[in-house]
């Protein structure tokens, strides 16, 4: 017998479950990469603080999955599948609306909503395997997990590429917009210089601080837009699932 039995995809239900699993893995792993980066690099939390903030959502996902596994025997599993994807999409869109002033409780609530992914896993496996012959279930289950993980690696790669690319592009366009705006770069620099002069900064040190403040502002704003764009992409993928 082949190690990967592609004949399983002749079953339309299993093929559809695999496609849904691919979308799930792509969006789930990709957005999971963004979470610690968003918390640590953008909101400047430590690794421990980020882990504590993310913990309730992870615990909720683990607690929901076994219960959903029991409920799918009594209710239509497609309802749980749709609910899980909608909650994940809502959480991802919520992150797309966040900025530098986001409070920790808002982050925790968004991650708790993301915990709705626990509604997805049991019904997805059930729907994918229930129309297969008993001797096909073992191979089909393994193949379903492998395809989801491969898609997850693609999601991680895309998240990293988009975040870096959009950060770079928006940093450039932000600088160009500031230079051509009605306020103008020179006016902004003079305003910052006047504020710093009141604090006692003079000469070359003053010029260096002004440039550093402008660069930090552009970096932060471009990073905000880059994160928001990435989360919008994964929101769309969750909805498509």
């Amino acid at each position: 017998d082949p190690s990967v039995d592609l004949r399983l995809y002749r079953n339309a239900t299993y093929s559809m479950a695999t496609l849904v699993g691919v979308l799930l893995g792509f969006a789930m792993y990709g957005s999971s990469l963004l979470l610690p980066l968003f918390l640590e690099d953008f909101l400047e939390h430590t690794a421990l603080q980020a882990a504590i903030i993310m913990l309730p959502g992870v615990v909720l996902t683990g607690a929901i999955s076994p219960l959903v596994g029991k409920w799918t025997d009594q209710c239509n599993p497609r309802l749980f599948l749709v609910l899980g994807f909608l909650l994940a999409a809502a959480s991802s869109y919520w992150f797309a609306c966040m900025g530098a002033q986001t409070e920790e409780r808002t982050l925790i609530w968004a991650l708790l909503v993301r915990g709705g992914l626990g509604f997805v896993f049991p019904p997805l496996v059930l729907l994918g395997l229930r129309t297969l012959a008993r001797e096909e279930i073992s191979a089909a289950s393994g193949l379903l997990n492998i395809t989801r993980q491969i898609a997850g690696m693609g999601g991680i790669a895309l998240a990293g590429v988009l975040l870096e690319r959009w950060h770079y592009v928006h940093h450039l366009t932000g600088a160009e917009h500031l230079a051509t705006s009605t306020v103008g770069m020179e006016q902004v620099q003079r305003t910052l210089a006047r504020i710093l002069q009141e604090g006692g900064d003079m000469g070359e040190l003053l010029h260096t601080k002004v440039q550093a403040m402008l660069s930090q502002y552009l970096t932060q704003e471009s990073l905000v837009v880059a994160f928001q764009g990435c989360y919008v992409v994964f929101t769309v993928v969750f909805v498509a699932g």
Side-chain angles (χ1 to χ4, degrees):
D1 292 335
S3 56
V4 178
D5 190 359
L6 298 180
R7 292 172 298 181
L8 292 168
Y9 292 121
R10 294 176 181 174
N11 185 300
T13 302
Y14 180 75
S15 297
M16 185 58 65
T18 300
L19 177 60
V20 173
V22 165
L23 294 174
L24 170 64
F26 188 87
M28 182 180 68
Y29 284 98
S31 58
S32 294
L33 172 70
L34 294 175
L35 283 173
L37 295 178
F38 182 75
L39 293 172
E40 296 176 34
D41 293 351
F42 179 60
L43 297 181
E44 298 183 348
H45 291 291
T46 65
L48 179 60
Q49 289 172 333
I52 293 173
I53 291 173
M54 294 170 65
L55 183 61
V58 175
V59 172
L60 182 61
T61 302
I64 288 176
S65 290
L67 296 176
V68 175
K70 296 180 179 179
W71 296 337
T72 50
D73 295 332
Q74 305 169 3
C75 305
N76 187 344
R78 291 182 177 84
L79 297 178
F80 295 110
L81 199 62
V82 171
L83 176 61
F85 272 105
L86 289 178
L87 288 173
S91 174
S92 186
Y93 185 75
W94 197 347
F95 273 103
C97 298
M98 292 184 185
Q101 306 303 319
T102 303
E103 298 180 354
E104 285 191 7
R105 62 181 180 182
T106 303
L107 291 168
I108 293 174
W109 275 112
L111 289 167
L112 286 174
V113 173
R114 178 184 164 84
L117 283 170
F119 286 103
V120 174
F121 300 108
L124 178 60
V125 174
L126 175 63
L127 289 171
L129 303 182
R130 69 179 180 179
T131 59
L132 297 174
R134 183 181 298 272
E135 61 272 12
E136 294 176 323
I137 289 179
S138 178
S141 178
L143 185 57
L144 190 62
N145 289 327
I146 290 172
T147 52
R148 186 173 68 241
Q149 291 171 7
I150 292 174
M153 289 187 286
I156 290 172
L158 180 66
V161 170
L162 289 181
L163 183 63
E164 182 178 358
R165 178 63 180 173
W166 285 347
H167 184 201
Y168 173 75
V169 169
H170 289 302
H171 192 281
L172 290 181
T173 55
E176 292 173 358
H177 174 73
L178 186 59
T180 57
S181 65
T182 55
V183 177
M185 182 72 78
E186 293 183 1
Q187 179 63 35
V188 174
Q189 289 176 332
R190 284 196 295 269
T191 302
L192 290 175
R194 185 165 57 252
I195 295 173
L196 291 173
Q197 282 175 341
E198 294 176 356
D201 294 315
M202 300 294 291
E204 187 64 28
L205 178 61
L206 176 64
H207 177 74
T208 301
K209 283 191 174 183
V210 168
Q211 296 303 316
M213 290 176 67
L214 280 173
S215 178
Q216 182 180 8
Y217 170 77
L218 288 173
T219 298
Q220 186 179 53
E221 291 302 309
S222 60
L223 194 57
V224 170
V225 178
F227 271 115
Q228 290 174 340
C230 290
Y231 275 115
V232 168
V233 168
F234 291 117
T235 299
V236 173
V237 177
F238 277 126
V239 172

